[in-house]
Amino acid sequence: MLDSPTPARTRPSHSRRRAPTLALIATLWLASSSCASQQAVPTTPAPAATRVKAGRTNWALRPSEAFDALCLLNLLRGDAFYTRFYPAEFERFSALLQPQEKAALDHLTERLGKQAGKMVGPQLVLVFSVANPTTVDSLARTVSDDDAWEAMRRAFKATSYGEKSDYSEMEDVRQDLGVLFAFLQRIDFPRIWRAEYLPQVEQSITQLAAQVAPHDVVGWDEDILGRALHVEELNAHVLKFVKPHGIRVTGWNFLTDLTYPVSVTVKTAVHELLHPPFKREGLIDERLTALEADPYFQRLVREHDPAFGYTTARGLTEEDCAEAIDVFVTERQGLLRTKDGKPRTGAEFFRDHDDGIHVLAYILYEELRRAELPPGTKYEDFILKLFDTGVLVPGKFEERFRSYPGAYRVKSLKE
């Protein structure tokens, strides 16, 4: 699932002490890169996509050196939330970091994580996705070339993710990114990726292509949303270094891990297609804003581990409105499973996922199970009806939650 852009656990930064040294190094890097950018630079073709037709869904399964590189940089920040999945890779590549590169990683954590309140890796892949990068070299050129950087800024601000952003956090880490992309070039990460990781990714894609054919995720979501999604091609970028996430980026693109079973990748696709599930405006915005003021809802926002994301009421609400459909659909399709492949119920999923914080999603899921939606019913109208019929009432949110037989103790609230 797409983790909303909020901070993972972060480490203290020493960015102020290293600023003059890093600024000098980055200035030299930008100057040299600018000169190089005026010359023709040979590029390595991106590996081909594998395409699969499934009803209304046109799957395109793709490797991505660029997205794997960004996820590796996120890993090298040393956050245990990620290093637990890649201990050997973290040890291997972190040993190659020089002081200025460690300082650049610290500043990413400080500026994007602590100050801007983003999850660093997901935010980087989200922003860079508007530039359609394929390689480390293309990432480096985007950062070093003023025109390319400005084009990425404009493209990101034109998306729903960036329209309210002033982009200042990305401007503040531009030099750090230049230093870090130069690090990846220095250690010849593109060669390592193609020699060691691309074969693993391609093997996973071959297996995945045979498995996704029955799964019409676009059709499933459209049936519940009550509208067409107009997805010409659904791009699943299969990566080495994206665990523990599944991440929606701009366009009809999401990131998944080569080790995930097909049920996880399909569930990720179902979920990420749903962001946002509807345009939040007018009456639906008014009703949801009132619900978000409910004391129990506010506790769910404030009292959970920020590594999960969703530290704003609006962020948690959007995730929950999407996750309700996700779980309802994947359970109905037999794709909601435990890590060892056993079927699980929606109630079991919500109890265990993110320490149980997605209570609104659970309520919506239960009501979807009970509803008989006429074809074409818009999802936001279904939610408005829950307000009109007294299912969703500000001030009685916890009471409604407790009324379902599958209600659970919310671990994040220490219940």
Side-chain angles (χ1 to χ4, degrees):
M1 296 175 199
L2 173 64
D3 295 76
S4 64
T6 31
R9 301 183 193 93
T10 53
R11 296 178 292 129
S13 170
H14 304 290
S15 57
R16 293 183 181 177
R17 291 205 297 265
R18 60 90 198 182
T21 301
L22 180 55
L24 175 60
I25 292 167
T27 300
L28 292 172
W29 174 85
L30 284 167
S32 63
S33 298
S34 179
C35 293
S37 69
Q38 298 174 14
Q39 305 172 9
V41 180
T43 57
T44 304
T50 299
R51 290 177 168 83
V52 180
K53 175 75 172 174
R56 283 173 271 175
T57 306
N58 297 307
W59 290 90
L61 310 175
R62 304 174 181 272
S64 175
E65 176 189 319
F67 287 140
D68 253 333
L70 291 168
C71 290
L72 175 63
L73 292 179
N74 180 57
L75 170 67
L76 292 180
R77 295 185 305 109
D79 189 334
F81 190 67
Y82 300 99
T83 59
R84 59 189 168 135
F85 296 102
Y86 303 101
E89 292 83 357
F90 173 73
E91 183 176 355
R92 173 188 182 181
F93 290 109
S94 63
L96 303 175
L97 290 165
Q98 295 178 351
Q100 70 271 21
E101 293 152 356
K102 293 179 181 179
L105 289 167
D106 280 347
H107 193 233
L108 284 184
T109 297
E110 177 69 22
R111 185 65 184 91
L112 291 182
K114 290 185 176 181
Q115 295 179 18
K118 312 292 186 184
M119 295 189 82
V120 176
Q123 183 67 10
L124 289 177
V125 295
L126 176 66
V127 175
F128 275 95
S129 69
V130 300
N132 299 313
T134 57
T135 63
V136 170
D137 288 346
S138 65
L139 291 169
R141 285 194 297 274
T142 299
V143 172
S144 65
D145 184 272
D146 287 341
D147 290 341
W149 181 260
E150 174 60 19
M152 183 171 76
R153 184 193 70 81
R154 289 197 307 268
F156 182 66
K157 287 184 68 63
T159 70
S160 61
Y161 301 102
E163 60 186 356
K164 295 182 181 179
S165 168
D166 64 5
Y167 208 68
S168 61
E169 67 274 8
M170 289 299 296
E171 297 289 359
D172 290 347
V173 299
R174 180 181 177 184
Q175 292 183 344
D176 302 289
L177 291 167
V179 169
L180 293 169
F181 296 150
F183 159 72
L184 294 176
Q185 291 169 323
R186 175 173 67 79
I187 67 171
D188 205 4
F189 177 73
R191 180 193 61 77
I192 295 171
W193 182 81
R194 285 182 174 271
E196 299 182 28
Y197 304 131
L198 179 57
Q200 298 176 30
V201 170
E202 289 179 329
Q203 182 179 7
S204 175
I205 286 175
T206 298
Q207 297 171 349
L208 196 57
Q211 296 170 328
V212 298
H215 301 303
D216 180 14
V217 295
V218 172
W220 299 343
D221 281 350
E222 288 179 340
D223 289 345
I224 306 300
L225 291 172
R227 60 183 172 87
L229 290 172
H230 305 292
V231 183
E232 292 185 6
E233 192 166 69
L234 177 60
N235 294 286
H237 300 267
V238 182
L239 305 184
K240 167 68 177 179
F241 291 108
V242 76
K243 282 187 295 190
H245 299 305
I247 305 173
R248 169 77 183 271
V249 291
T250 56
W252 298 115
N253 297 275
F254 73 97
L255 315 184
T256 189
D257 193 84
L258 66 88
T259 64
Y260 293 162
V262 65
S263 61
V264 172
T265 294
V266 172
K267 187 177 184 302
T268 300
V270 169
H271 183 94
E272 303 309 344
L273 285 167
L274 296 164
H275 282 286
F278 46 79
K279 192 169 184 178
R280 186 163 166 173
E281 60 185 6
L283 184 57
I284 188 70
D285 179 52
E286 179 185 323
R287 295 285 182 86
L288 290 173
T289 298
L291 186 67
E292 289 163 356
D294 180 278
Y296 192 70
F297 192 96
Q298 282 294 310
R299 287 191 63 201
L300 294 167
V301 175
R302 294 192 308 264
E303 297 180 27
H304 72 267
D305 185 342
F308 297 141
Y310 322 119
T311 54
T312 67
R314 290 179 72 93
L316 182 59
T317 295
E318 179 180 324
E319 178 67 11
D320 281 10
C321 289
E323 192 158 77
I325 298 178
D326 158 11
V327 175
F328 173 70
V329 166
T330 52
E331 182 183 37
R332 188 168 62 178
Q333 297 296 330
L335 296 167
L336 196 63
R337 295 183 175 275
T338 62
K339 289 181 180 180
D340 57 2
K342 296 179 180 178
R344 71 194 315 193
T345 66
E348 291 169 340
F349 173 87
F350 286 114
R351 179 195 64 204
D352 299 334
H353 180 56
D354 290 347
D355 288 348
I357 65 172
H358 300 289
V359 170
L360 175 58
Y362 172 69
I363 293 173
L364 296 177
Y365 153 81
E366 288 286 5
E367 293 302 321
L368 281 170
R369 292 178 64 217
R370 290 160 171 74
E372 294 184 4
L373 299 180
T377 301
K378 292 184 177 180
Y379 184 48
E380 55 267 44
D381 291 337
F382 161 75
I383 295 175
L384 285 172
K385 187 175 181 180
L386 297 181
F387 282 101
D388 292 339
T389 56
V391 174
L392 294 176
V393 178
K396 296 184 177 181
F397 183 63
E398 181 180 7
E399 180 182 337
R400 171 58 60 182
F401 170 50
R402 303 295 178 200
S403 71
Y404 298 103
Y408 52 86
R409 294 181 180 180
V410 178
K411 183 179 178 181
S412 68
L413 302 185
K414 298 180 174 57
E415 293 179 346

